[in-house]
């Protein structure tokens, strides 16, 4: 039966992206709803104003109809304008009275509206003499015969001002939306600032510049900081216990080995020296694994920082004297302010293995350089010797495999350096140097 397929994990999005996306969606929805609501209100307001003019004209026409004065002009503004649009018409039996703007034409009611109140004008839609669409108000006056009073306004009177108002409204809402989005972006940035500070504090703890995360945090982050500090305290306690165990183990093992070494120093007890070699090998292995245990314990938050330049300078002076007959020249380019979160003894052992290896296999020149990079601190040791081929370099980088066992004749303590570097969160890579020999690059966290 084939194993079940793993579902693809969802893409990781940042909190800032999520917050900004949600805020942008809410702002857009709010602006659209506000624009529609204001548009409906403006439409009702403008139409109400137009219908108020039409109703006032109908009241005047009804008064003139009841007084028998329709023969006189009742074209009050804006019904006194020339051309179609604003107009009125009174129909009673076979008689028809209309405004001068109709010029003998008639108003056609195309969609009569509801007549809920007979004594009040009701809305309707219609067309003018030339088919132009009009807004109508119609009133039926009872009598013998009944009369129908119609007052009309052009649709441009409604949609022209409405279009102008909505255009200004859209611009205002657009500017408001941009201001809101900018404000929300600033709010999100300020809101996430404590998380950036928390990340920097954790980086300081990891680098050894702090022992704990500062507790002066916003209320929402305080529980997280308390848990982190509790974890750091627990790790510190575990570190102290580990150091105690390592010290006890070192004392328990070193004393018997020292006793055996002293006992075997007499030629009569070990004529061939084989047992002494085994004891020395056991001592080296014990020291190596104790060193690994110490480095593993020091991988916690209680690490100190060691300046790099003085260690390299002391190492150069010692190795130049050691290889004086060979005439080795060691060039150093290490910034004075560069330091690494590593114990001094472990740093000396890693650098000593690399530089001693370079001095042993170079012709005359060794170069040591260090720099700070995004991934941490890189220390490069190069020589002008024969170097290593690809197979040898791959063999030496195999975890737990010494180079002198995998490739005879090339054992330079590189596996120990690799293990220590990895226990500190770094690494070791080998390559070809510009000088022609081996380039060993040791990386450690900043």
């Amino acid at each position: 039966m084939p194993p079940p397929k793993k579902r693809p994990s969802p893409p990781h999005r940042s909190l800032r992206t999520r917050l900004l996306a949600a805020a942008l969606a809410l702002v857009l929805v709010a602006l659209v709803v506000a624009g529609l609501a204001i548009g409906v209100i403006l439409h009702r307001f403008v139409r109400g104003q137009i219908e108020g003019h039409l109703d006032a004209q109908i009241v005047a026409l009804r008064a003139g109809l009841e007084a028998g004065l329709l023969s006189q002009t009742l074209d009050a503004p804006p019904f006194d304008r020339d051309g179609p649009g604003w107009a009125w018409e009174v129909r009673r039996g076979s008689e028809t009275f209309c405004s001068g703007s109709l010029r003998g034409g008639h108003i056609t009611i195309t969609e009569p509206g509801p007549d809920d109140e007979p004594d009040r004008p009701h809305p309707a839609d219609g067309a003018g003499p030339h088919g132009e669409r009009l807004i109508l108000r119609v009133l039926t006056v009872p009598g013998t015969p009944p009369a129908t009073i119609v007052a009309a306004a052009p649709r441009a009177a409604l949609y022209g001002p409405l279009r102008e108002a909505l255009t200004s409204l859209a611009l205002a809402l657009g500017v408001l939306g941009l201001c809101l989005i900018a404000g929300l972006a600033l709010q999100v940035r300020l809101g996430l600032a404590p998380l950036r500070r928390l990340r920097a504090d954790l980086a300081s703890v990891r680098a050894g510049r702090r022992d704990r995360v500062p507790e002066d945090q916003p209320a929402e982050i305080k529980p997280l900081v308390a848990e982190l500090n509790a974890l750091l305290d627990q790790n510190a306690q575990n570190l102290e216990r580990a150091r105690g165990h390592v010290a006890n183990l070192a004392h328990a093992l070193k004393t018997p080995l020292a006793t055996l070494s002293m006992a075997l120093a007499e030629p009569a007890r070990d004529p061939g020296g084989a047992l002494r070699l085994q004891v020395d090998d056991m001592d080296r292995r014990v020291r190596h694994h104790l060193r690994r245990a110490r480095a593993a314990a020091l991988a916690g938050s209680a690490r100190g920082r060691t300046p790099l330049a003085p260690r390299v300078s002391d190492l150069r002076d010692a190795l130049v004297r050691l290889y004086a007959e060979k005439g080795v020249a060691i060039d150093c380019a290490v910034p004075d302010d560069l330091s690494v979160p590593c114990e001094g003894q472990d740093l000396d052992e890693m650098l000593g293995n690399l530089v001693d290896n370079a001095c042993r296999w170079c012709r005359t020149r060794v170069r040591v350089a260090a720099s700070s990079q995004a991934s941490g601190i890189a220390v490069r040791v190069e020589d002008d010797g024969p170097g290593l081929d690809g197979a040898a370099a791959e063999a030496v980088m195999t975890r737990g495999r010494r180079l002198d066992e995998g490739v005879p004749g090339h054992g330079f303590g590189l596996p120990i350096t690799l293990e220590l570097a990895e226990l500190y969160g770094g690494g070791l890579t080998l390559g070809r140097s510009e000088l022609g020999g081996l380039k060993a690059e040791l990386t450690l966290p900043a």
Side-chain angles (χ1 to χ4, degrees):
M1 182 176 180
K5 295 182 178 179
K6 294 183 179 180
R7 298 179 60 184
S9 58
H12 297 284
R13 292 183 297 174
S14 65
L15 289 176
R16 175 182 298 177
T17 302
R18 293 182 181 182
L19 292 174
L20 288 178
L24 178 61
L26 291 176
V27 167
L28 291 178
V29 170
L31 291 178
V32 170
V33 171
L36 294 176
I38 296 175
V40 171
I41 293 173
L42 287 176
H43 182 275
R44 290 183 177 181
F45 176 78
V46 176
R47 180 149 187 154
Q49 294 293 317
I50 294 174
E51 290 179 347
H53 284 296
L54 298 179
D55 289 350
Q57 182 67 16
I58 289 177
V59 170
L61 291 173
R62 181 176 183 177
L65 178 65
E66 293 175 349
L69 300 176
L70 287 179
S71 57
Q72 300 179 5
T73 179
L74 292 175
D75 290 342
F79 296 92
D80 57 348
R81 299 174 182 173
D82 294 334
W86 294 93
W88 57 266
E89 188 176 78
V90 179
R91 305 169 187 169
R92 184 174 61 181
S94 58
E95 295 180 310
T96 300
F97 304 93
C98 59
S99 62
S101 59
L102 290 177
R103 298 181 180 179
H106 298 283
I107 298 174
T108 303
I109 300 176
T110 57
E111 297 182 11
D115 189 5
D116 298 330
E117 299 181 25
D119 293 336
R120 295 179 59 85
H122 60 272
D125 290 331
H130 305 288
E132 64 274 13
R133 299 182 63 187
L134 302 174
I135 300 173
L136 306 181
R137 296 287 287 180
V138 181
L139 176 65
T140 301
V141 180
T144 306
T148 301
I149 303 176
V150 181
R155 284 191 171 268
L158 171 64
Y159 293 108
L162 190 62
R163 188 179 301 108
E164 294 179 1
L166 290 179
T167 301
S168 302
L169 174 65
L171 293 176
L173 290 178
V175 174
L176 176 61
L178 294 177
C179 295
L180 288 176
I181 292 172
L184 288 171
L186 179 61
Q187 181 181 4
V188 169
R189 180 177 178 82
L190 294 177
L192 295 180
L195 293 180
R196 292 193 294 271
R197 289 196 298 269
L198 178 60
R199 178 185 176 185
D201 293 336
L202 287 175
S204 298
V205 171
R206 181 175 179 271
R209 293 187 292 270
R210 290 179 180 268
D211 294 332
R212 293 166 59 86
V213 179
E215 297 182 356
D216 185 15
Q217 304 286 346
E220 292 79 6
I221 302 180
K222 273 190 175 181
L224 175 61
V225 172
E227 292 295 332
L228 288 174
N229 285 331
L231 180 61
L232 292 174
D233 293 338
Q234 182 180 0
N235 287 342
Q237 295 174 3
N238 294 337
L239 175 63
E240 292 300 325
R241 286 195 293 268
R243 284 175 173 171
H245 293 325
V246 170
N248 294 335
L249 181 60
H251 179 74
L253 293 177
K254 287 181 179 179
T255 300
L257 289 174
T259 303
L260 286 174
S261 179
M262 292 175 62
L264 295 175
E266 300 178 7
R269 295 187 177 185
D270 185 20
L275 295 178
R276 178 64 181 267
L277 292 177
Q278 294 295 327
V279 172
D280 291 342
D281 183 65
M282 291 174 59
D283 184 66
R284 286 194 300 270
R285 290 178 181 272
V286 168
R287 291 177 183 275
H288 167 60
H289 288 288
L290 288 178
R291 191 180 300 111
R292 291 185 58 187
R294 183 178 70 249
L298 292 173
S301 62
R303 285 191 308 227
R305 297 191 69 85
T306 303
L308 192 57
R311 301 283 177 168
V312 174
S313 178
D314 294 343
L315 183 62
R316 177 186 60 184
D317 295 340
L319 291 177
V320 166
R321 289 194 298 269
L322 181 63
Y323 291 95
E325 295 182 359
K326 191 176 181 179
V328 176
I330 303 177
D331 300 329
C332 295
V334 180
D336 295 334
D337 58 346
L338 208 58
S339 61
V340 293
C342 179
E343 287 295 312
Q345 295 178 356
D346 295 327
L347 180 61
D348 289 342
E349 180 159 1
M350 289 186 286
L351 293 177
N353 286 335
L354 296 178
V355 181
D356 180 69
N357 175 74
C359 291
R360 184 174 301 178
W361 289 92
C362 74
R363 292 185 176 90
T364 58
R365 186 180 177 190
V366 175
R367 182 168 62 191
V368 181
S371 61
S372 179
Q373 301 176 352
S375 58
I377 295 174
V379 181
R380 292 173 295 278
V381 180
E382 304 174 71
D383 63 73
D384 59 352
L388 290 174
D389 58 17
E394 184 178 356
V396 75
M397 299 308 293
T398 302
R399 182 184 296 273
R401 186 177 182 184
R402 296 176 63 94
L403 187 59
D404 57 345
E405 296 174 356
V407 183
H410 295 275
F412 308 126
L414 295 178
I416 295 177
T417 303
L418 173 61
E419 291 171 358
L420 286 175
E422 289 180 343
L423 289 173
Y424 276 99
L428 176 65
T429 58
L430 301 180
R432 177 63 65 177
S433 169
E434 295 179 356
L435 302 178
L438 180 68
K439 179 179 74 172
E441 182 168 339
L442 174 68
T443 57
L444 293 170

